[in-house]
Amino acid sequence: MAHPLDPLSVEEIGRVGAAVRAHVPDTELLFSSITLAEPSKQALQAHRQGTPLVRAARAVVLDGPHGVIEALVGVEASEVLAWIPVPDVRPPLLFTEAFNAMEAVRADERWRAALARRGITDVSGVQIDPWPPGAYADFAERNTRLTRCLSYYREDPEDNGYARPIEGVVAVVDMATAEVLEVEDHGIVALPADPGRYDAEHVGPLRDDLKPLEIHQPEGVSFTVEGNHLSWQRWDLRVGLDPIEGLVLHDVGYQDGDRRRPILHRASLAEMVVPYGSTDPTHRWKNAFDAGEWGLGRFVNSLKLGCDCLGEITYLDAVMADEQGNGQVVEQAICIHEEDDGIAWKHQDLNTGNVEVRRSRRFVVSSIFTVGNYEYCFYWRFYLDGSIELEVRLTGIVQPCAFEGEPPANMVVVAPGVAAAHHQHLFCLRLDLDVDGGPNSVYEVDVVPSGGGAGDDWANGIEARATLLASEAVAQREVDPSRSRVWKVVNEQSRNGLGQPVAYKLLPSAAPTLLAGPGSVVRDRAAFATHNLWVTPYAPDEMRPSGPYPNQHTGGAGLPEWTAADRPLVDTDVVLWHTFGVTHVVRPEDWPVMPVERTGFWLIPVGFFDRNPALDIPPAAHCGT
Ligand code: CO
């Protein structure tokens, strides 16, 4: 018996694809996605109480150059329940069309001439990278779906794909017709010489003094995996993999004695944007929405034991639709394991000499996605003390440009003749918290000096000032490390043993917001990234902070649109939208492949428990007193 949140199986996707094709038998379709139509929170609640649910899927299909259809399909009966044409939107770039665009560019005489001007006549080994084009004035009146393509030279097929940019050449292609509309040439720059290899064979002698480090759990692991339901220690949750959002966590709860306490109803990457800060015409249009414009989840890696994850690993496969509407399995797409995590707590009693120390351990659910030149690695970690952490690691190859003479503005030189632009990676996590089932309110807590004067004669007072974020207009906030700022999600109706309302706090990192200035196109399109936090009341349709179809969208959709109503947020079902990430001023050490850079945030219990919930970790065998 499938759980309502179980991902669609290969067989189910196949049936949905067939039902959609049968609905318009004479039309050639391309499938952007087929995903589970997730039941709303109310429907899930009703299901828990015995109401049967119709298992449904949502298919997004193209039925012509510009026609986008959203079809809702009953999975059991293979029956089309709704068929909704959506005008004036563009789904993420499709692989089929991207491949056609690449081949069209390779055959284009203008592009070949531009390469010949640079001394490249054999174009067979040239790598062509299609990009989401942005939404700029030069395309404004074209009612079409576009891509801008950049090119890179590989002498050997196994060269670093990005080490030798063919600078200044941008091919603009109509995705629907694979027609090359124009080839821009912003000026000839010599091809960098170094192929930038980073494979073991080419990096010179490898160090030989790393001894084996092996992880064994001789008595097995402490977690269980049943389908997509994971349990570890007191935690349990469901996990899925969405073609846009990547890893999705559902229904995260904590077993506290005889009560299962809900914490997080759903958590996922709702959008991300990578705006580049180069003012050069070859590069200034770059700001990829790697979720909504490409579909981050579609780029999920098949993970290898001992390479991507180490230890006693359980993997889950992912199932996704291909562009013909058939189900495809990505093996070992989600890695599940436990890790030692140093100490959880310790005290040495200096009077008695007694030492109590406990090991921390964390339960990790992770996936890795390769979007063009970059890898994004998502690690959700659950801890014995009730904390949850998301760490995102960024690696791969920085987006390069070739130059001669003076280094270009807004860039750092990373190799002879190669520079990389300053840019940002801004991730927007949609966090549908249900602390103790809700209703919840959100407070911003700043820690500030009391300020001296009456009651603080010695001016040493410190206060934690909590400000209720009462409605959407006041719930658009930035991080402030100088005030140790956190956002606390409180359930006033649920009290701990001390009489305090239970809460979880969102502890942000020192995360940036979008740097592109007012008047920039990306600022309108990625408004979510202009604040580190937005709060909205739960609405089942509000899933993507730049709207469901950001590709070529000129902006204003999503969070700015919804929050204009300034809906109340007190004692309601709140959703937090947290933007965090890195501003990447590239280093020479990031070349030719980048060591991981880390970013993320924590969710930490605050009075959710009455005391340290990790007191009952037993001492490790040889640490007993
Ligand atoms: Co970067």
Side-chain angles (χ1 to χ4, degrees), residues 274 276 374 376 394 398-399 423-425 582 584 586 594 597:
V274 189
Y276 283 82
Y374 252 94
Y376 297 109
L394 300 83
V398 295
Q399 182 57 215
H423 60 279
Q424 299 186 284
H425 304 261
V582 298
H584 193 180
V586 177
M594 177 186 156
E597 182 152 2

Side-chain angles (χ1 to χ4, degrees), residues 235 263 385-388 502-505 603-609 613:
W235 293 101
I263 294 168
D385 67 357
S387 301
I388 303 173
V502 304
Y504 260 76
K505 68 179 179 187
L603 294 168
I604 296 174
V606 182
F608 189 81
F609 302 105

